[in-house]
Amino acid sequence: MMNLENFKELWNKDAGQDPPEISLDKQREIHSPLQMLKINMETEFWLMIVTLPLLLTGFPFASPDANIKIISTFVTILTLAFVVYFYSRFLKLYKLLRKNSINTNYDLFNLKTQLLISKEIYISYYISYIPLAFLLCLIKINFHFDMEYNLAIFGISLLITLLLVCFVIKYWIYYMYGRYIDDIVELVDELNGIEIRPKAIRKKTWFERSQKFFMNKLGIKGNILNTVIWFISMYIFIILFLTVILLIIIIIGAKLDFINIVTLQRALERLN
């Protein structure tokens, strides 16, 4: 009974105390990755505004088939629903990052939780484009696999989408958000006495080097410029790389009589 009374006394004493405050040094330490997260979120939002119309031009609304038009409209609405839902969560996280209430350990723990949840939602957002791309590829070939080369066109289109999604998840998410989220998580764990694995020493990538260069010259605008340049450059590189691979496959296939160039051309013309 005495132990129970002591426990109650300690509980009431602790409950009446304010959460421990984070030192100014630690607050400054966390400000840098938070600032980079906000800047990159703003940059991505405007990139999305610019590139979304390009994404929607891939839907075959001009098809003479009424069923294809209806399915294209449905897929477009579904895509926009995904975008609206994700960016509503995106905006919610952005508002959280704009708040300067990181004075207590509870604030940091809440921030850590929200960042990790948002990261998983971000990954899921891009993975959700795989079934949409699958359906769009079917629309492109009018759901007919029996026509010559339609299966190959469908497979290649879907493969390109999968490669782009893998690239986004592996590199884009890490360089835009992942590394800054890792810094914040490590800081929160350190403040809570959780053992942290030492970071492996690695060479800076070209992206990080150019980011540092532009930020030294132009500050925050330099980071935005660096992100835009790399976004456009990698997009062009991926398109060119896949085009070269396809051309090599077509040339080798034609040489070995696996591919009929005239028939392939007719199949591509049907898509247009």
Side-chain angles (χ1 to χ4, degrees):
M1 189 70 177
M2 187 64 180
N3 290 336
L4 181 59
E5 290 299 326
N6 289 337
F7 176 76
K8 287 181 178 179
E9 185 180 346
L10 288 171
W11 174 266
N12 292 330
K13 185 177 179 180
D14 291 338
Q17 292 178 346
D18 294 329
E21 291 195 357
I22 304 301
S23 66
L24 289 176
D25 288 339
K26 291 298 182 182
Q27 289 187 41
R28 293 192 191 99
E29 191 176 337
I30 201 174
H31 176 75
S32 179
L34 281 178
Q35 183 70 8
M36 294 303 297
L37 282 173
K38 287 186 286 186
I39 293 166
N40 287 340
M41 290 177 78
E42 292 170 3
T43 304
E44 179 172 357
F45 175 78
W46 290 110
L47 284 174
M48 185 274 295
I49 294 296
V50 173
T51 57
L52 185 60
L54 299 177
L55 173 66
L56 296 178
T57 56
F59 295 93
F61 296 110
S63 173
D65 191 327
N67 291 324
I68 296 297
K69 288 182 179 179
I70 293 172
I71 295 171
S72 298
T73 302
F74 172 75
V75 175
T76 303
I77 294 172
L78 193 59
T79 302
L80 290 174
F82 276 136
V83 172
V84 170
Y85 169 75
F86 171 75
Y87 277 96
S88 66
R89 298 296 300 259
F90 199 73
L91 181 61
K92 182 179 178 181
L93 177 63
Y94 180 77
K95 288 180 178 177
L96 176 66
L97 296 182
R98 284 182 64 88
K99 293 180 180 178
N100 295 321
S101 56
I102 53 171
N103 300 325
T104 68
N105 195 25
Y106 172 79
D107 295 329
L108 279 184
F109 182 77
N110 181 51
L111 178 64
K112 169 188 170 181
T113 304
Q114 292 299 324
L115 287 174
L116 291 177
I117 292 173
S118 298
K119 183 179 177 181
E120 295 304 315
I121 292 174
Y122 193 92
I123 293 172
S124 301
Y125 168 72
Y126 281 101
I127 292 176
S128 69
Y129 277 101
I130 295 176
L132 288 174
F134 183 86
L135 185 55
L136 184 59
C137 293
L138 285 175
I139 294 173
K140 281 287 188 181
I141 62 172
N142 293 329
F143 295 88
H144 294 303
F145 284 107
D146 52 337
M147 295 184 181
E148 199 165 11
Y149 295 123
N150 268 17
L151 181 60
I153 293 170
F154 169 82
I156 290 171
S157 300
L158 187 60
L159 179 62
I160 290 173
T161 303
L162 291 174
L163 290 173
L164 287 172
V165 171
C166 289
F167 173 81
V168 167
I169 291 175
K170 185 173 177 62
Y171 296 104
W172 180 260
I173 292 178
Y174 174 76
Y175 286 114
M176 290 290 284
Y177 307 108
R179 54 181 176 156
Y180 304 115
I181 292 175
D182 290 344
D183 289 341
I184 295 170
V185 169
E186 285 183 6
L187 179 59
V188 175
D189 289 344
E190 179 187 339
L191 290 169
N192 286 277
I194 299 174
E195 187 176 351
I196 303 172
R197 292 182 181 179
K199 283 187 178 181
I201 300 174
R202 62 179 182 83
K203 294 181 179 179
K204 287 189 177 295
T205 61
W206 285 104
F207 177 88
E208 291 169 311
R209 292 176 183 176
S210 60
Q211 181 186 47
K212 183 177 180 181
F213 171 79
F214 282 116
M215 288 191 71
N216 287 337
K217 296 289 185 180
L218 303 172
I220 298 303
K221 292 180 180 178
N223 177 68
I224 297 172
L225 178 62
N226 181 70
T227 303
V228 173
I229 290 174
W230 276 95
F231 178 84
I232 296 173
S233 300
M234 292 311 299
Y235 180 82
I236 294 173
F237 172 78
I238 290 172
I239 297 299
L240 290 176
F241 175 76
L242 292 174
T243 301
V244 171
I245 295 297
L246 288 175
L247 286 175
I248 292 173
I249 293 173
I250 292 172
I251 292 171
I252 294 175
K255 292 288 185 181
L256 299 176
D257 293 328
F258 289 142
I259 296 176
N260 186 298
I261 298 296
V262 176
T263 306
L264 177 62
Q265 186 176 358
R266 288 174 183 170
L268 293 173
E269 287 175 353
R270 283 199 302 269
L271 299 179
N272 299 325

